[in-house]
Amino acid sequence: MTSASTSSARSLFAESKQRLAERVQVNMNNISSLARQIQRGSKSNELLSKGARDMAVTENIMENSEENLKKMQLIAVHIGYQYESIQKSAEMLSEISEQVAAMQR
């Protein structure tokens, strides 16, 4: 009887040892999975902060571009005024040339 209970105890011990090893393996797999997720999460945080920095730089560039467009619009208006002035002067030139020609006759 003693040998039956001893072999039964050994069997239970071996079975418990096997279950414990399986649980340890499952826990190790879970820990490694968690570590990978944390690592991915930290990289996504880095990507988000890089995206925010890039957005801030882009925003500054857009503001500068807007200011440059406004300046270009002002320059275009002034060039239009100068064109009109030159056109009037050219028209007056032909009239003046006619007057000079009339005076020389």
Side-chain angles (χ1 to χ4, degrees):
M1 224 167 153
T2 328
S3 68
S5 67
T6 305
S7 83
S8 175
R10 284 184 191 160
S11 175
L12 281 173
F13 178 73
E15 195 176 307
S16 296
K17 191 175 175 182
Q18 180 65 31
R19 273 194 254 139
L20 179 62
E22 288 171 0
R23 285 184 180 173
V24 167
Q25 183 64 39
V26 167
N27 286 337
M28 291 301 293
N29 289 339
N30 289 341
I31 288 172
S32 65
S33 176
L34 178 64
R36 281 192 300 273
Q37 288 177 353
I38 289 171
Q39 186 179 15
R40 284 187 202 130
S42 70
K43 286 184 181 178
S44 66
N45 192 21
E46 291 170 11
L47 290 173
L48 284 173
S49 62
K50 183 184 181 310
R53 283 192 304 267
D54 291 347
M55 183 71 149
V57 168
T58 303
E59 186 178 5
N60 189 23
I61 291 170
M62 288 172 58
E63 287 175 1
N64 289 340
S65 296
E66 184 180 8
E67 288 298 316
N68 287 338
L69 282 172
K70 287 177 183 178
K71 289 175 185 177
M72 289 169 77
Q73 286 175 334
L74 283 173
I75 290 170
V77 168
H78 288 290
I79 288 175
Y81 292 149
Q82 290 174 357
Y83 174 77
E84 289 174 6
S85 177
I86 291 170
Q87 194 174 16
K88 287 179 184 176
S89 296
E91 289 172 4
M92 291 175 83
L93 246 169
S94 62
E95 290 177 20
I96 292 172
S97 295
E98 289 175 10
Q99 288 176 0
V100 168
M103 290 167 126
Q104 288 177 347
R105 290 187 214 155

